[in-house]
Each structure stands twice: as structure tokens, then as C-alpha cells.
Amino acid sequence: MAMSKAIRLCGHLRQWSSVPSQKVKFNPATLYSASVVVCPEGRPFTTSSSAQEKLATKSVQKHDWNRAVSEAEKIVGYPTSFLSLRWLLSDEIANVALHLRKLVGSNHPLLKTAKTLIYNDKNQQAWGLIVLLVSKAAGHLDTIPDMEQDKSAGVLHSQRALAETTEMIRTSHLVHQGMINLQSFDNAGNDLSGDSDMIFGNKIALLGGDYLLANACQQIATLKNKDLNVLISSAFRDLAESNFIGDRDEQNYPLPTKPTAQAKELTTDLNSLEDLGFGDLEDNTEPMKIDGIVGSPEKEWSLRHVLGGGSLLGKSCQGALLLGGHPESLQKQGYLFGKHLSLAWQACIDMQPFLLPKLPSGAQFSLVSAPVLFHLEQDHSLYEEIEKGRKSIDNIDYTKVHEEVLQGPGLEKTKILQRKHSLAAMKVLNELPATDARRALQNIILAMQEL
């Protein structure tokens, strides 16, 4: 019964599709300069001189995203997503699917979130998969009892539970962001009886996100590890704080901050990441230091996305190594890997709209994406168009912003930004033993270049 409801929901969401996305590729060979390592299939990837080794002993011939993820899933046993048969057959998820059907045609933002999750859009990061691959690549201590090991997959049962929890937390955050503000300052106190569909959608977004979050907390508690509990709790805090960085419109959509005169321009040195620490390099369970960050394009972009996702992925990788019994030094490397991989991934996603020569009619993109922030650093006049979005970002002429950004340095600077974080993630991987899991992680990073 629950499965039939979920299938019918998928059918409704398929009909509710927006403009089909266009895949535009750029040549990864143009990504790299300085010292170059050549992968077995001939694709170059830059590394620092201290880490010049082959990235993979056996890579997929073409770094196709779907293929890289599919190969990685085979290594850890089976797909990691908690949106599995076990969940689709539960009464709670069946009820959510039934209620979501009522929103079809209402244009509530929650529908877009649900459609993205069900169809596994490539913009949705494979959080659990990354956590399991890191777990397997690093291995675990021999002293861990056999009963706690999933020998077929080469990971611990607790690490798999953490991977599922990571996806639940991420999904709950996205579902909560599907809420809309029905009473702006100008509309405060007015009768909302005519917006019953939107009110209902907000209730589903709130309760659905809370349900996932409660299950995630319960699953973390069952692992009975105090240090892991503190670590993941701090990731909850970071996700909440991500919604209070910089300016916002009345629907809480982020707006870019006008660059300050003291803002430091993006350096082309691919190894210059020392100044991007927000206090998390010393103690990542404490709140991040944000003084002087807003108004500096690279730092502001990094902070937004570390808080909004990089912290969760990094701390989940760190937690997986903690469960595996590894020393604190390696756990910290796990955090850095997840953090830099998330930022490289986000930079890749931010570039996608600007790889199109013309923005499709009615399409929008994030105004705090890296290309926009870097362009505003050079062209302050475009900020006049951004100011029109103080009340609602719908008032902004996205076509104009798109055209201006394409003519500026924003896209090229974003490519440099993505290379920097990709190389930082690769540098951590090179410290791990050469295994299938490490190779799969390397292939995922390389496949990002062709998204």
C-alpha cells in the first residue's frame, strides 16, 4: 500500500517537471596547471609537488558522474540512501507521500525539494556514500569485534548507521527550507484563508523535516558514543547558523553582500587555503568565527557553504574514522576531506547556469553563487540590480545578471576556486592506502569536472 502511494507520488511529480536541464560540459584538461599527474587513462590532475603520485590505479575510462557513483556504490555493498524500500514501506513516509499529492499544482517549494530527492538530482550530494567510502578507504582497527563489522562491505555497522543519519540530517534541512513566509512585513496580520494550500505545504515541510531530524537524533544516540554525539550536534548548530549569514529577502532567500574595500582578491595559487579557516581547524565543535568574513567574496562564499553542508559532511567523515578507532590526527584529515569535497562540489554546481550561453526563460540561479560574488567584486554597478531583490528576489532581472556575469571574471575565478578545493581533497586521499574505495573517491572528484 505504501509502495503504491510512493509510486503514484513519483508519477505526479514527473508531470510537475520544470524546464529540462541542459548538460553543458567543459574540458577538464583546462583545469590544471603547475605540476601535473597523469591518470592511467591520460587525464591530468594537478597536485602539489609533495603528493605527486598516481591518483588511481584503475579509473573509469570516462569520468561520467552516474558511472562513478554506481561503481562506488558497488564497493560499499549497496546504495546508502535512507530513501530505500524500508523507508518507503513505513506508515509515516506513506502518509507524507499521500499528503504531498495534495500539493501538486500549488507551486509550493516543497514539491521541488521532493522531486529532487526522489529523482536523485546530481546537485544532491551523495552524502552517505562518501561517508562509507571514507570508512572503507581508511579501514578500522582489528580489535573491533566481528559482530560490529559488515564484512561483505568492509565497513562497520555503526559507520553505515552514521552514513544514513548524515543523509537524514541533510534531507531534513532541505525539507525545512521548503517553507515559505506567508506573512511578510507588509502582509502581517492579514487573513490567510485563501492560502490554504501554502499553509498546508508549510505544515508538511515543518513536520516532515522534524520527523527526519528526530529519527537522526535517535539513531545517533543508539551508537552510544559521546564524542560522536557532540560532533554531530555541532553540525546541527552549523546548519541552523547558515540561515543567518549575510542579507536576506523577505522569504529568507540569501542576497550577496556588497564587497568591502578591504576584501582580499582570490589568489590563483591553488594551494592557498590557509586563510579560509574559521576556527574549525583548531576545534570544529566550537561555533565558527565569522568576524570580518561578510563582504569578502571567497570567505563569505566558503563560510555559507561550510555552515550549510560542508561542516556536516566533514564531521560525518570525521565521525566515521572515530568509530573506526583511528587517531585524532587522521580524524581531522577526514573532516578536511569532507569539507573541501563539499566546497568543490558546490563550486561545480554554482558554475552550471553560467555554462549556458543564454539563461532559459523564467530560470533563476543562486544570487550568492561564486560567479556572482566574484563578479560583484569587480563590477559594483551590478549591485544596483541586486538591490531590487530586498523585498523579493523575483524582482531581480536574472537574465541581465547572467549576461553581466558571463562578460566578467566570475566564472574563471569559480573554476580556480573549484580546483583549489578539489586538490585539497585529493591531498588528503593521497595519505590513505591505495584501495578500491580511495580510487572511487578520486573518480568522483574527477567526474565533478564533467557535470
Side-chain angles (χ1 to χ4, degrees):
M1 184 65 179
M3 178 61 78
S4 63
K5 292 175 182 176
I7 292 174
R8 288 199 298 272
L9 171 64
C10 293
H12 282 291
L13 291 175
R14 188 182 297 278
Q15 296 173 4
W16 183 79
S17 297
S18 56
V19 180
S21 60
Q22 301 182 38
K23 182 178 289 187
V24 179
K25 298 183 179 180
F26 60 93
N27 184 7
T30 63
L31 245 66
Y32 316 111
S33 58
S35 58
V36 176
V37 171
V38 180
C39 296
E41 77 283 13
R43 182 177 304 281
F45 199 98
T46 314
T47 67
S48 61
S49 58
S50 61
Q52 293 189 13
E53 63 168 297
K54 290 186 178 180
L55 297 176
T57 56
K58 180 184 176 185
S59 301
V60 288
Q61 291 184 351
K62 180 182 179 182
H63 291 290
D64 175 78
W65 172 257
N66 292 329
R67 182 176 178 182
V69 171
S70 177
E71 292 294 327
E73 287 178 341
K74 294 176 183 177
I75 292 174
V76 293
Y78 50 85
T80 59
S81 176
F82 73 91
L83 290 173
S84 58
L85 190 63
R86 170 168 61 89
W87 276 80
L88 289 175
L89 291 177
S90 70
D91 291 338
E92 292 86 353
I93 297 299
N95 286 332
V96 172
L98 183 62
H99 289 309
L100 275 176
R101 289 182 58 194
K102 301 176 183 178
L103 293 178
V104 175
S106 68
N107 203 31
H108 194 283
L110 180 59
L111 283 173
K112 183 177 180 181
T113 301
K115 175 173 172 283
T116 299
L117 292 172
I118 289 176
Y119 291 117
N120 196 28
D121 189 336
K122 63 173 174 283
N123 289 354
Q124 279 303 111
Q125 301 179 10
W127 301 90
L129 177 61
I130 297 300
V131 173
L132 287 183
L133 287 172
V134 169
S135 302
K136 186 167 184 177
H140 52 77
L141 294 185
D142 296 334
T143 56
I144 295 178
D146 290 347
M147 289 185 62
E148 297 182 19
Q149 301 179 30
D150 181 353
K151 291 187 175 294
S152 62
V155 298
L156 304 179
H157 294 299
S158 58
Q159 291 173 328
R160 188 174 292 281
L162 175 60
E164 288 192 358
T165 300
T166 302
E167 290 197 353
M168 274 192 276
I169 297 171
R170 173 63 172 166
T171 304
S172 70
H173 180 63
L174 294 175
V175 170
H176 277 151
Q177 288 185 321
M179 296 181 65
I180 60 175
N181 181 14
L182 296 176
Q183 287 194 328
S184 60
F185 291 121
D186 296 337
N187 196 37
N190 291 349
D191 182 21
L192 298 176
S193 59
D195 294 320
S196 57
D197 286 342
M198 293 299 177
I199 293 175
F200 182 75
N202 277 357
K203 290 179 179 178
I204 295 298
L206 178 62
L207 296 176
D210 284 352
Y211 171 76
L212 292 173
L213 200 56
N215 275 273
C217 292
Q218 182 184 33
Q219 190 149 310
I220 287 294
T222 59
L223 297 179
K224 299 180 180 180
N225 189 305
K226 178 183 175 181
D227 292 335
L228 179 65
N229 206 338
V230 171
L231 194 63
I232 300 302
S233 295
S234 67
F236 286 148
R237 180 203 60 224
D238 293 340
L239 287 173
E241 289 185 357
S242 68
N243 292 312
F244 298 93
I245 300 297
D247 299 327
R248 302 262 167 171
D249 76 345
E250 291 186 355
Q251 287 297 333
N252 203 41
Y253 290 116
L255 294 170
T257 306
K258 193 171 184 177
T260 61
Q262 295 78 22
K264 184 178 179 181
E265 189 170 350
L266 175 72
T267 175
T268 57
D269 181 3
L270 299 182
N271 295 310
S272 62
L273 291 169
E274 294 81 4
D275 60 340
L276 290 182
F278 308 108
D280 56 330
L281 300 182
E282 293 78 27
D283 184 359
N284 61 0
T285 61
E286 293 294 322
M288 295 190 186
K289 301 174 183 178
I290 63 174
D291 294 339
I293 299 299
V294 175
S296 175
E298 184 180 7
K299 289 185 177 181
E300 179 179 335
W301 178 88
S302 300
L303 177 64
R304 285 182 187 273
H305 296 295
V306 169
L307 290 174
S311 169
L312 174 61
L313 185 58
K315 290 176 180 179
S316 295
C317 293
Q318 179 180 347
L321 298 179
L322 169 65
L323 292 172
H326 293 287
E328 186 175 348
S329 58
L330 186 58
Q331 294 174 31
K332 289 290 185 181
Q333 290 299 307
Y335 170 73
L336 291 176
F337 171 77
K339 170 183 164 181
H340 288 301
L341 177 62
S342 175
L343 292 178
W345 219 322
Q346 187 61 48
C348 182
I349 291 170
D350 285 358
M351 285 191 289
Q352 300 309 301
F354 302 97
L355 298 177
L356 300 171
K358 185 177 181 181
L359 192 68
S361 177
Q364 294 184 348
F365 49 83
S366 173
L367 295 170
V368 292
S369 61
V372 176
L373 292 177
F374 286 131
H375 183 86
L376 287 171
E377 182 182 27
Q378 302 291 327
D379 181 11
H380 291 195
S381 63
L382 185 60
Y383 201 76
E384 296 178 5
E385 185 65 35
I386 302 295
E387 284 289 328
K388 297 178 182 178
R390 289 289 174 182
K391 184 176 181 65
S392 173
I393 59 172
D394 294 331
N395 298 331
I396 295 175
D397 185 347
Y398 280 84
T399 301
K400 177 181 178 181
V401 175
H402 185 268
E403 292 175 351
E404 292 291 332
V405 172
L406 284 182
Q407 296 174 9
L411 185 58
E412 288 303 316
K413 287 190 173 185
T414 303
K415 291 179 180 179
I416 294 175
L417 184 68
Q418 200 244 3
R419 296 172 210 160
K420 288 169 66 173
H421 289 291
S422 294
L423 290 172
M426 282 288 191
K427 183 178 180 181
V428 175
L429 286 182
N430 288 335
E431 300 298 323
L432 298 177
T435 62
D436 287 347
R438 191 187 82 165
R439 183 175 67 245
L441 288 168
Q442 292 168 338
N443 285 339
I444 285 176
I445 295 175
L446 291 172
M448 279 194 294
Q449 322 308 328
E450 299 191 6
L451 277 179

